[in-house]
Amino acid sequence: KTVDWWSMGIILYEFLTSMPPFSGNTPEELFSNVINGEILWPEEDDELILIPEEAKNLILSLLTHNPLKRLGANGAIEIKQHQFFVSLDWNNLLRTKADFIPQLDGPEDTSYFDT
């Protein structure tokens, strides 16, 4: 299960920045950055990508290398109680209507993606 929390950290980072948290010019450099935890954070003065401190803390907690120390290792309740989710009503989450529901022409419709 802890690998799912690692993946959640990767996905959350990508949702907030539109890029992966680890990069490298070669596969070896990329692998080294993952192993060493060298996350490529956006520059502080980048007004287009502002990552709240709660989100940054959550990402770092999810991308902890030791799976026994990773946030979520003791259950999803650890994730739910993180400061990043303080305003989320977990009990009514599934009853909440989405702000945007795409209208698709079919299962292979990609019109909402940039060409």
Side-chain angles (χ1 to χ4, degrees), residues 15-65:
F15 277 163
L16 295 173
T17 66
S18 299
M19 56 189 175
F22 303 106
S23 66
N25 294 323
T26 65
E28 293 79 14
E29 184 180 350
L30 172 61
F31 185 70
S32 175
N33 288 339
V34 172
I35 295 298
N36 295 315
E38 297 293 327
I39 298 174
L40 179 65
W41 295 103
E43 296 293 325
E44 294 281 333
D45 60 349
D46 188 344
E47 295 177 11
L48 297 176
I49 304 174
L50 297 174
I51 301 179
E53 284 303 313
E54 294 86 5
K56 194 171 184 179
N57 179 273
L58 176 59
I59 291 166
L60 288 170
S61 298
L62 293 168
L63 296 181
T64 298
H65 280 99

Side-chain angles (χ1 to χ4, degrees), residues 68-84:
L68 299 175
K69 294 182 179 179
R70 187 173 301 147
L71 190 67
N74 297 306
I77 192 69
E78 289 183 342
I79 309 290
K80 289 179 170 184
Q81 292 176 341
H82 190 277
Q83 187 65 26
F84 180 75

